Amino acid sequence: MQAVKHILVVENETTLRELLEFLLRREGYTVTAVSDGDYAKQLLEKLNGIDLVILDLLLPIMSGRQLLRWIRRQCETADTPILVLTDLQNDDDVADALDEGANDYMIKPFQPKELQARIRKLLRIKKEL
């Protein structure tokens, strides 16, 4: 039997955060959802076994970009797949996030089936490492 994957959603918009939680739980994932980068950082310091982070770049307190850099600098989370899901669609924003360590980048609004496929791909890649 395969272990249930644990996904951390970091999204400050309540409606979207709740939608993501619903979609991911419906697919059988364990989900922890938070609204700011600083709280996500605190959780990542405490929790073991986060399999994937879905990260908005536009967050209060600690930006998504700052959190992305922090995740990549920590031994425990350096290899955790990160899917950026954000409103920012400028080529520089996309390139910067990928250069800073994001594994994938999606622009809102998104199609649920595409999001689910990208999540499966990232979890498959992590399993192969």
Side-chain angles (χ1 to χ4, degrees), residues 1-20:
M1 190 169 124
Q2 207 170 14
V4 174
K5 300 297 183 185
H6 190 171
I7 298 176
L8 174 62
V9 174
V10 191
E11 169 61 56
N12 66 317
E13 185 184 316
T14 304
T15 305
L16 182 54
R17 188 173 61 250
E18 290 172 354
L19 173 64
L20 288 166

Side-chain angles (χ1 to χ4, degrees), residues 11 17 20 24 27 34 36 41-42 46 57 59 67-68 77 79 85 90-91 93 101 104 107 113 116 129:
E11 169 61 56
R17 188 173 61 250
L20 288 166
L24 295 169
E27 291 295 310
V34 299
D36 70 73
K41 178 180 175 258
Q42 291 173 37
K46 293 176 191 170
L57 295 179
L59 298 171
L67 181 60
L68 172 58
T77 57
D79 294 331
L85 180 62
N90 180 298
D91 289 347
D93 293 319
D104 204 349
I107 297 167
K113 288 194 180 292
Q116 292 163 357
L129 293 178

Side-chain angles (χ1 to χ4, degrees), residues 41 45 69-79:
K41 178 180 175 258
E45 290 173 330
R69 286 191 294 263
W70 179 86
I71 290 170
R72 288 296 175 238
R73 286 194 310 261
Q74 308 310 305
C75 291
E76 301 79 19
T77 57
D79 294 331

Side-chain angles (χ1 to χ4, degrees), residues 30-86:
T30 298
V31 181
T32 301
V34 299
S35 61
D36 70 73
D38 188 58
Y39 188 52
K41 178 180 175 258
Q42 291 173 37
L43 281 176
L44 286 165
E45 290 173 330
K46 293 176 191 170
L47 292 177
N48 287 330
I50 294 292
D51 296 295
L52 174 76
V53 176
I54 298 176
L55 178 64
D56 188 3
L57 295 179
L58 302 172
L59 298 171
I61 306 173
M62 175 186 240
S63 75
R65 189 163 272 123
Q66 290 170 313
L67 181 60
L68 172 58
R69 286 191 294 263
W70 179 86
I71 290 170
R72 288 296 175 238
R73 286 194 310 261
Q74 308 310 305
C75 291
E76 301 79 19
T77 57
D79 294 331
T80 302
I82 299 172
L83 169 61
V84 170
L85 180 62
T86 189

